[in-house]
């Protein structure tokens, strides 16, 4: 069985500050992990994914995430927040032979203050 | 040049009605999905089709029936709509061209969503 927990349903940062969105997973098989972003009234867009290669993954828009097996974590970071980063962020997990079935966390809404 | 498109974008209907949502992808993918996003923004998979064959069927009421006329289309038909069906429904498709096989690590591309409101 697989599950994802995102700590903090809402995170607020100032423009230019570090963004840290937390994701912890549980998986009985080697996990593949994803971060998606959803802007208001839009579909989901992939930010980055971990597929068992490099543990530090770089994505679009300056985001990156580090897979830490010992901590079962895949936290998303960005050194400097932009106003345009305000959105809902979803962490998701799947595994081999899962048919690509994504199990999502409950989402974290990121607000960016000027 | 939309990769994954859904129609309609908004759907407002009365309880008890039957409605359909259509999804089309022009990416040449073999695998397509339906997800439901509830009012708390929680996303959950409903169905998946691979090349017109049902491969994932979560615990979804029988009133929901997916249909895939070809690998580029995956429609969702809902009978006897209930208040609890109100949600945003997302279609997605997964990379991996025909014959090459889709991998669990391949990216899923999502459509813009259909907001269903049942009154």
């Amino acid at each position: 069985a697989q599950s994802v927990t995102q700590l903090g349903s809402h995170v607020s940062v100032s423009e230019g500050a570090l963004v840290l969105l937390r994701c912890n997973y549980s998986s009985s098989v080697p996990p593949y992990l994803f971060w998606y972003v959803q802007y208001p009234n839009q579909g989901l867009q992939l930010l980055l994914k971990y597929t068992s290669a490099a543990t530090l993954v770089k994505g679009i828009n300056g985001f990156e995430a580090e897979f830490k097996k010992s901590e079962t974590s895949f936290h998303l970071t960005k050194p400097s927040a932009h106003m345009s980063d305000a959105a809902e962020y979803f962490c998701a997990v799947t595994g081999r032979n899962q048919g690509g079935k994504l199990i999502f966390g409950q989402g974290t809404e990121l607000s960016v203050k000027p | 040049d939309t990769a994954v498109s859904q129609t309609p974008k908004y759907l407002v209907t009365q309880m008890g009605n039957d409605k359909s949502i259509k999804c089309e992808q022009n990416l040449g993918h073999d695998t397509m999905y339906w997800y439901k996003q509830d009012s708390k923004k929680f996303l959950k998979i409903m169905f998946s089709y691979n090349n017109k064959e049902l491969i994932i069927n979560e615990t979804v009421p029988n009133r929901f029936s997916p249909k895939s006329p070809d690998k580029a289309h995956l429609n969702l038909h809902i009978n006897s709509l209930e208040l609890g069906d109100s949600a945003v429904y997302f279609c997605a498709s997964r990379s991996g061209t025909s014959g090459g096989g889709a991998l669990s690590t391949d990216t899923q591309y999502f459509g813009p969503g259909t907001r269903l409101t049942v009154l």
Side-chain angles (χ1 to χ4, degrees), chain B residues 29-44:
Chain B
H29 294 168
D30 281 351
T31 310
M32 297 182 71
Y33 304 82
W34 277 111
Y35 289 87
K36 178 181 180 180
Q37 186 175 46
D38 63 22
S39 59
K40 296 182 179 179
K41 296 193 177 179
F42 182 64
L43 277 154
K44 187 173 182 193

mmCIF file with all atom_site columns, all heavy atoms in Angstrom, chain B residues 29-44:
data_model
loop_
_atom_site.group_PDB
_atom_site.id
_atom_site.type_symbol
_atom_site.label_atom_id
_atom_site.label_alt_id
_atom_site.label_comp_id
_atom_site.label_asym_id
_atom_site.label_entity_id
_atom_site.label_seq_id
_atom_site.pdbx_PDB_ins_code
_atom_site.Cartn_x
_atom_site.Cartn_y
_atom_site.Cartn_z
_atom_site.occupancy
_atom_site.B_iso_or_equiv
_atom_site.pdbx_formal_charge
_atom_site.auth_seq_id
_atom_site.auth_comp_id
_atom_site.auth_asym_id
_atom_site.auth_atom_id
_atom_site.pdbx_PDB_model_num
ATOM 1   N N   . HIS B 1 29 ? -0.443  8.928  -26.596 1.00 0.00 ? 29 HIS B N   1
ATOM 2   C CA  . HIS B 1 29 ? -0.276  8.068  -25.432 1.00 0.00 ? 29 HIS B CA  1
ATOM 3   C C   . HIS B 1 29 ? -1.235  6.884  -25.486 1.00 0.00 ? 29 HIS B C   1
ATOM 4   O O   . HIS B 1 29 ? -2.319  6.965  -26.059 1.00 0.00 ? 29 HIS B O   1
ATOM 5   C CB  . HIS B 1 29 ? -0.534  8.861  -24.150 1.00 0.00 ? 29 HIS B CB  1
ATOM 6   C CG  . HIS B 1 29 ? 0.465   9.934  -23.909 1.00 0.00 ? 29 HIS B CG  1
ATOM 7   N ND1 . HIS B 1 29 ? 0.291   10.924 -22.955 1.00 0.00 ? 29 HIS B ND1 1
ATOM 8   C CD2 . HIS B 1 29 ? 1.659   10.205 -24.488 1.00 0.00 ? 29 HIS B CD2 1
ATOM 9   C CE1 . HIS B 1 29 ? 1.319   11.735 -22.965 1.00 0.00 ? 29 HIS B CE1 1
ATOM 10  N NE2 . HIS B 1 29 ? 2.161   11.325 -23.890 1.00 0.00 ? 29 HIS B NE2 1
ATOM 11  N N   . ASP B 1 30 ? -0.808  5.805  -24.818 1.00 0.00 ? 30 ASP B N   1
ATOM 12  C CA  . ASP B 1 30 ? -1.656  4.622  -24.743 1.00 0.00 ? 30 ASP B CA  1
ATOM 13  C C   . ASP B 1 30 ? -2.549  4.597  -23.516 1.00 0.00 ? 30 ASP B C   1
ATOM 14  O O   . ASP B 1 30 ? -3.566  3.910  -23.499 1.00 0.00 ? 30 ASP B O   1
ATOM 15  C CB  . ASP B 1 30 ? -0.782  3.357  -24.703 1.00 0.00 ? 30 ASP B CB  1
ATOM 16  C CG  . ASP B 1 30 ? -0.272  2.966  -26.073 1.00 0.00 ? 30 ASP B CG  1
ATOM 17  O OD1 . ASP B 1 30 ? -0.727  3.557  -27.066 1.00 0.00 ? 30 ASP B OD1 1
ATOM 18  O OD2 . ASP B 1 30 ? 0.583   2.077  -26.152 1.00 0.00 ? 30 ASP B OD2 1
ATOM 19  N N   . THR B 1 31 ? -2.142  5.285  -22.456 1.00 0.00 ? 31 THR B N   1
ATOM 20  C CA  . THR B 1 31 ? -2.820  5.152  -21.169 1.00 0.00 ? 31 THR B CA  1
ATOM 21  C C   . THR B 1 31 ? -3.494  6.452  -20.765 1.00 0.00 ? 31 THR B C   1
ATOM 22  O O   . THR B 1 31 ? -2.887  7.520  -20.830 1.00 0.00 ? 31 THR B O   1
ATOM 23  C CB  . THR B 1 31 ? -1.815  4.739  -20.073 1.00 0.00 ? 31 THR B CB  1
ATOM 24  O OG1 . THR B 1 31 ? -1.067  3.608  -20.528 1.00 0.00 ? 31 THR B OG1 1
ATOM 25  C CG2 . THR B 1 31 ? -2.539  4.369  -18.794 1.00 0.00 ? 31 THR B CG2 1
ATOM 26  N N   . MET B 1 32 ? -4.744  6.333  -20.336 1.00 0.00 ? 32 MET B N   1
ATOM 27  C CA  . MET B 1 32 ? -5.504  7.504  -19.900 1.00 0.00 ? 32 MET B CA  1
ATOM 28  C C   . MET B 1 32 ? -6.172  7.222  -18.569 1.00 0.00 ? 32 MET B C   1
ATOM 29  O O   . MET B 1 32 ? -6.421  6.068  -18.206 1.00 0.00 ? 32 MET B O   1
ATOM 30  C CB  . MET B 1 32 ? -6.543  7.886  -20.968 1.00 0.00 ? 32 MET B CB  1
ATOM 31  C CG  . MET B 1 32 ? -5.909  8.300  -22.288 1.00 0.00 ? 32 MET B CG  1
ATOM 32  S SD  . MET B 1 32 ? -7.098  8.796  -23.541 1.00 0.00 ? 32 MET B SD  1
ATOM 33  C CE  . MET B 1 32 ? -7.671  10.374 -22.896 1.00 0.00 ? 32 MET B CE  1
ATOM 34  N N   . TYR B 1 33 ? -6.467  8.314  -17.847 1.00 0.00 ? 33 TYR B N   1
ATOM 35  C CA  . TYR B 1 33 ? -6.982  8.200  -16.485 1.00 0.00 ? 33 TYR B CA  1
ATOM 36  C C   . TYR B 1 33 ? -8.124  9.191  -16.249 1.00 0.00 ? 33 TYR B C   1
ATOM 37  O O   . TYR B 1 33 ? -8.202  10.240 -16.902 1.00 0.00 ? 33 TYR B O   1
ATOM 38  C CB  . TYR B 1 33 ? -5.880  8.544  -15.469 1.00 0.00 ? 33 TYR B CB  1
ATOM 39  C CG  . TYR B 1 33 ? -4.626  7.737  -15.575 1.00 0.00 ? 33 TYR B CG  1
ATOM 40  C CD1 . TYR B 1 33 ? -3.647  8.064  -16.506 1.00 0.00 ? 33 TYR B CD1 1
ATOM 41  C CD2 . TYR B 1 33 ? -4.404  6.650  -14.745 1.00 0.00 ? 33 TYR B CD2 1
ATOM 42  C CE1 . TYR B 1 33 ? -2.480  7.324  -16.612 1.00 0.00 ? 33 TYR B CE1 1
ATOM 43  C CE2 . TYR B 1 33 ? -3.234  5.898  -14.841 1.00 0.00 ? 33 TYR B CE2 1
ATOM 44  C CZ  . TYR B 1 33 ? -2.277  6.252  -15.773 1.00 0.00 ? 33 TYR B CZ  1
ATOM 45  O OH  . TYR B 1 33 ? -1.128  5.511  -15.864 1.00 0.00 ? 33 TYR B OH  1
ATOM 46  N N   . TRP B 1 34 ? -8.945  8.852  -15.265 1.00 0.00 ? 34 TRP B N   1
ATOM 47  C CA  . TRP B 1 34 ? -9.883  9.814  -14.689 1.00 0.00 ? 34 TRP B CA  1
ATOM 48  C C   . TRP B 1 34 ? -9.582  9.942  -13.200 1.00 0.00 ? 34 TRP B C   1
ATOM 49  O O   . TRP B 1 34 ? -9.428  8.929  -12.496 1.00 0.00 ? 34 TRP B O   1
ATOM 50  C CB  . TRP B 1 34 ? -11.342 9.371  -14.863 1.00 0.00 ? 34 TRP B CB  1
ATOM 51  C CG  . TRP B 1 34 ? -11.909 9.713  -16.196 1.00 0.00 ? 34 TRP B CG  1
ATOM 52  C CD1 . TRP B 1 34 ? -12.251 8.840  -17.198 1.00 0.00 ? 34 TRP B CD1 1
ATOM 53  C CD2 . TRP B 1 34 ? -12.228 11.025 -16.688 1.00 0.00 ? 34 TRP B CD2 1
ATOM 54  N NE1 . TRP B 1 34 ? -12.747 9.527  -18.282 1.00 0.00 ? 34 TRP B NE1 1
ATOM 55  C CE2 . TRP B 1 34 ? -12.744 10.869 -17.992 1.00 0.00 ? 34 TRP B CE2 1
ATOM 56  C CE3 . TRP B 1 34 ? -12.134 12.319 -16.161 1.00 0.00 ? 34 TRP B CE3 1
ATOM 57  C CZ2 . TRP B 1 34 ? -13.160 11.950 -18.780 1.00 0.00 ? 34 TRP B CZ2 1
ATOM 58  C CZ3 . TRP B 1 34 ? -12.546 13.379 -16.941 1.00 0.00 ? 34 TRP B CZ3 1
ATOM 59  C CH2 . TRP B 1 34 ? -13.050 13.188 -18.228 1.00 0.00 ? 34 TRP B CH2 1
ATOM 60  N N   . TYR B 1 35 ? -9.495  11.213 -12.754 1.00 0.00 ? 35 TYR B N   1
ATOM 61  C CA  . TYR B 1 35 ? -9.321  11.526 -11.341 1.00 0.00 ? 35 TYR B CA  1
ATOM 62  C C   . TYR B 1 35 ? -10.478 12.415 -10.893 1.00 0.00 ? 35 TYR B C   1
ATOM 63  O O   . TYR B 1 35 ? -11.002 13.215 -11.675 1.00 0.00 ? 35 TYR B O   1
ATOM 64  C CB  . TYR B 1 35 ? -8.014  12.298 -11.100 1.00 0.00 ? 35 TYR B CB  1
ATOM 65  C CG  . TYR B 1 35 ? -6.756  11.487 -11.261 1.00 0.00 ? 35 TYR B CG  1
ATOM 66  C CD1 . TYR B 1 35 ? -6.151  11.344 -12.502 1.00 0.00 ? 35 TYR B CD1 1
ATOM 67  C CD2 . TYR B 1 35 ? -6.153  10.884 -10.173 1.00 0.00 ? 35 TYR B CD2 1
ATOM 68  C CE1 . TYR B 1 35 ? -4.983  10.611 -12.650 1.00 0.00 ? 35 TYR B CE1 1
ATOM 69  C CE2 . TYR B 1 35 ? -4.978  10.153 -10.302 1.00 0.00 ? 35 TYR B CE2 1
ATOM 70  C CZ  . TYR B 1 35 ? -4.402  10.021 -11.546 1.00 0.00 ? 35 TYR B CZ  1
ATOM 71  O OH  . TYR B 1 35 ? -3.250  9.297  -11.676 1.00 0.00 ? 35 TYR B OH  1
ATOM 72  N N   . LYS B 1 36 ? -10.801 12.313 -9.625  1.00 0.00 ? 36 LYS B N   1
ATOM 73  C CA  . LYS B 1 36 ? -11.826 13.173 -9.035  1.00 0.00 ? 36 LYS B CA  1
ATOM 74  C C   . LYS B 1 36 ? -11.172 14.044 -7.965  1.00 0.00 ? 36 LYS B C   1
ATOM 75  O O   . LYS B 1 36 ? -10.427 13.531 -7.120  1.00 0.00 ? 36 LYS B O   1
ATOM 76  C CB  . LYS B 1 36 ? -12.937 12.323 -8.401  1.00 0.00 ? 36 LYS B CB  1
ATOM 77  C CG  . LYS B 1 36 ? -14.029 13.133 -7.725  1.00 0.00 ? 36 LYS B CG  1
ATOM 78  C CD  . LYS B 1 36 ? -15.085 12.211 -7.106  1.00 0.00 ? 36 LYS B CD  1
ATOM 79  C CE  . LYS B 1 36 ? -16.190 13.006 -6.417  1.00 0.00 ? 36 LYS B CE  1
ATOM 80  N NZ  . LYS B 1 36 ? -17.218 12.109 -5.807  1.00 0.00 ? 36 LYS B NZ  1
ATOM 81  N N   . GLN B 1 37 ? -11.437 15.353 -8.039  1.00 0.00 ? 37 GLN B N   1
ATOM 82  C CA  . GLN B 1 37 ? -10.947 16.284 -7.023  1.00 0.00 ? 37 GLN B CA  1
ATOM 83  C C   . GLN B 1 37 ? -12.145 16.840 -6.255  1.00 0.00 ? 37 GLN B C   1
ATOM 84  O O   . GLN B 1 37 ? -12.979 17.530 -6.827  1.00 0.00 ? 37 GLN B O   1
ATOM 85  C CB  . GLN B 1 37 ? -10.135 17.414 -7.648  1.00 0.00 ? 37 GLN B CB  1
ATOM 86  C CG  . GLN B 1 37 ? -9.487  18.327 -6.601  1.00 0.00 ? 37 GLN B CG  1
ATOM 87  C CD  . GLN B 1 37 ? -8.571  19.374 -7.208  1.00 0.00 ? 37 GLN B CD  1
ATOM 88  O OE1 . GLN B 1 37 ? -8.916  20.031 -8.187  1.00 0.00 ? 37 GLN B OE1 1
ATOM 89  N NE2 . GLN B 1 37 ? -7.375  19.541 -6.643  1.00 0.00 ? 37 GLN B NE2 1
ATOM 90  N N   . ASP B 1 38 ? -12.197 16.552 -4.963  1.00 0.00 ? 38 ASP B N   1
ATOM 91  C CA  . ASP B 1 38 ? -13.361 16.971 -4.188  1.00 0.00 ? 38 ASP B CA  1
ATOM 92  C C   . ASP B 1 38 ? -13.228 18.427 -3.734  1.00 0.00 ? 38 ASP B C   1
ATOM 93  O O   . ASP B 1 38 ? -12.267 19.124 -4.086  1.00 0.00 ? 38 ASP B O   1
ATOM 94  C CB  . ASP B 1 38 ? -13.591 16.029 -2.997  1.00 0.00 ? 38 ASP B CB  1
ATOM 95  C CG  . ASP B 1 38 ? -12.452 16.028 -1.989  1.00 0.00 ? 38 ASP B CG  1
ATOM 96  O OD1 . ASP B 1 38 ? -11.687 17.018 -1.943  1.00 0.00 ? 38 ASP B OD1 1
ATOM 97  O OD2 . ASP B 1 38 ? -12.323 15.050 -1.247  1.00 0.00 ? 38 ASP B OD2 1
ATOM 98  N N   . SER B 1 39 ? -14.174 18.850 -2.944  1.00 0.00 ? 39 SER B N   1
ATOM 99  C CA  . SER B 1 39 ? -14.237 20.259 -2.532  1.00 0.00 ? 39 SER B CA  1
ATOM 100 C C   . SER B 1 39 ? -13.061 20.663 -1.652  1.00 0.00 ? 39 SER B C   1
ATOM 101 O O   . SER B 1 39 ? -12.750 21.842 -1.528  1.00 0.00 ? 39 SER B O   1
ATOM 102 C CB  . SER B 1 39 ? -15.543 20.536 -1.799  1.00 0.00 ? 39 SER B CB  1
ATOM 103 O OG  . SER B 1 39 ? -15.647 19.701 -0.666  1.00 0.00 ? 39 SER B OG  1
ATOM 104 N N   . LYS B 1 40 ? -12.388 19.680 -1.053  1.00 0.00 ? 40 LYS B N   1
ATOM 105 C CA  . LYS B 1 40 ? -11.205 19.969 -0.246  1.00 0.00 ? 40 LYS B CA  1
ATOM 106 C C   . LYS B 1 40 ? -9.926  19.812 -1.053  1.00 0.00 ? 40 LYS B C   1
ATOM 107 O O   . LYS B 1 40 ? -8.825  19.755 -0.501  1.00 0.00 ? 40 LYS B O   1
ATOM 108 C CB  . LYS B 1 40 ? -11.169 19.051 0.985   1.00 0.00 ? 40 LYS B CB  1
ATOM 109 C CG  . LYS B 1 40 ? -12.325 19.290 1.928   1.00 0.00 ? 40 LYS B CG  1
ATOM 110 C CD  . LYS B 1 40 ? -12.236 18.415 3.156   1.00 0.00 ? 40 LYS B CD  1
ATOM 111 C CE  . LYS B 1 40 ? -13.404 18.704 4.086   1.00 0.00 ? 40 LYS B CE  1
ATOM 112 N NZ  . LYS B 1 40 ? -13.385 17.860 5.296   1.00 0.00 ? 40 LYS B NZ  1
ATOM 113 N N   . LYS B 1 41 ? -10.080 19.699 -2.363  1.00 0.00 ? 41 LYS B N   1
ATOM 114 C CA  . LYS B 1 41 ? -8.983  19.602 -3.330  1.00 0.00 ? 41 LYS B CA  1
ATOM 115 C C   . LYS B 1 41 ? -8.257  18.267 -3.266  1.00 0.00 ? 41 LYS B C   1
ATOM 116 O O   . LYS B 1 41 ? -7.162  18.150 -3.825  1.00 0.00 ? 41 LYS B O   1
ATOM 117 C CB  . LYS B 1 41 ? -7.997  20.763 -3.173  1.00 0.00 ? 41 LYS B CB  1
ATOM 118 C CG  . LYS B 1 41 ? -8.647  22.111 -3.471  1.00 0.00 ? 41 LYS B CG  1
ATOM 119 C CD  . LYS B 1 41 ? -7.644  23.216 -3.621  1.00 0.00 ? 41 LYS B CD  1
ATOM 120 C CE  . LYS B 1 41 ? -8.341  24.519 -4.001  1.00 0.00 ? 41 LYS B CE  1
ATOM 121 N NZ  . LYS B 1 41 ? -7.399  25.636 -4.139  1.00 0.00 ? 41 LYS B NZ  1
ATOM 122 N N   . PHE B 1 42 ? -8.844  17.277 -2.603  1.00 0.00 ? 42 PHE B N   1
ATOM 123 C CA  . PHE B 1 42 ? -8.209  15.967 -2.557  1.00 0.00 ? 42 PHE B CA  1
ATOM 124 C C   . PHE B 1 42 ? -8.434  15.247 -3.886  1.00 0.00 ? 42 PHE B C   1
ATOM 125 O O   . PHE B 1 42 ? -9.570  15.154 -4.359  1.00 0.00 ? 42 PHE B O   1
ATOM 126 C CB  . PHE B 1 42 ? -8.775  15.140 -1.409  1.00 0.00 ? 42 PHE B CB  1
ATOM 127 C CG  . PHE B 1 42 ? -8.134  13.805 -1.267  1.00 0.00 ? 42 PHE B CG  1
ATOM 128 C CD1 . PHE B 1 42 ? -6.795  13.688 -0.938  1.00 0.00 ? 42 PHE B CD1 1
ATOM 129 C CD2 . PHE B 1 42 ? -8.853  12.644 -1.506  1.00 0.00 ? 42 PHE B CD2 1
ATOM 130 C CE1 . PHE B 1 42 ? -6.192  12.449 -0.830  1.00 0.00 ? 42 PHE B CE1 1
ATOM 131 C CE2 . PHE B 1 42 ? -8.262  11.400 -1.401  1.00 0.00 ? 42 PHE B CE2 1
ATOM 132 C CZ  . PHE B 1 42 ? -6.939  11.303 -1.053  1.00 0.00 ? 42 PHE B CZ  1
ATOM 133 N N   . LEU B 1 43 ? -7.351  14.734 -4.451  1.00 0.00 ? 43 LEU B N   1
ATOM 134 C CA  . LEU B 1 43 ? -7.386  14.056 -5.745  1.00 0.00 ? 43 LEU B CA  1
ATOM 135 C C   . LEU B 1 43 ? -7.337  12.552 -5.564  1.00 0.00 ? 43 LEU B C   1
ATOM 136 O O   . LEU B 1 43 ? -6.469  12.035 -4.860  1.00 0.00 ? 43 LEU B O   1
ATOM 137 C CB  . LEU B 1 43 ? -6.174  14.461 -6.583  1.00 0.00 ? 43 LEU B CB  1
ATOM 138 C CG  . LEU B 1 43 ? -6.273  15.754 -7.359  1.00 0.00 ? 43 LEU B CG  1
ATOM 139 C CD1 . LEU B 1 43 ? -4.900  16.334 -7.583  1.00 0.00 ? 43 LEU B CD1 1
ATOM 140 C CD2 . LEU B 1 43 ? -6.946  15.504 -8.702  1.00 0.00 ? 43 LEU B CD2 1
ATOM 141 N N   . LYS B 1 44 ? -8.240  11.869 -6.270  1.00 0.00 ? 44 LYS B N   1
ATOM 142 C CA  . LYS B 1 44 ? -8.238  10.412 -6.166  1.00 0.00 ? 44 LYS B CA  1
ATOM 143 C C   . LYS B 1 44 ? -8.486  9.798  -7.536  1.00 0.00 ? 44 LYS B C   1
ATOM 144 O O   . LYS B 1 44 ? -9.343  10.246 -8.286  1.00 0.00 ? 44 LYS B O   1
ATOM 145 C CB  . LYS B 1 44 ? -9.307  9.936  -5.188  1.00 0.00 ? 44 LYS B CB  1
ATOM 146 C CG  . LYS B 1 44 ? -9.222  8.444  -4.929  1.00 0.00 ? 44 LYS B CG  1
ATOM 147 C CD  . LYS B 1 44 ? -10.154 7.997  -3.854  1.00 0.00 ? 44 LYS B CD  1
ATOM 148 C CE  . LYS B 1 44 ? -9.957  6.502  -3.635  1.00 0.00 ? 44 LYS B CE  1
ATOM 149 N NZ  . LYS B 1 44 ? -10.988 5.879  -2.852  1.00 0.00 ? 44 LYS B NZ  1
#
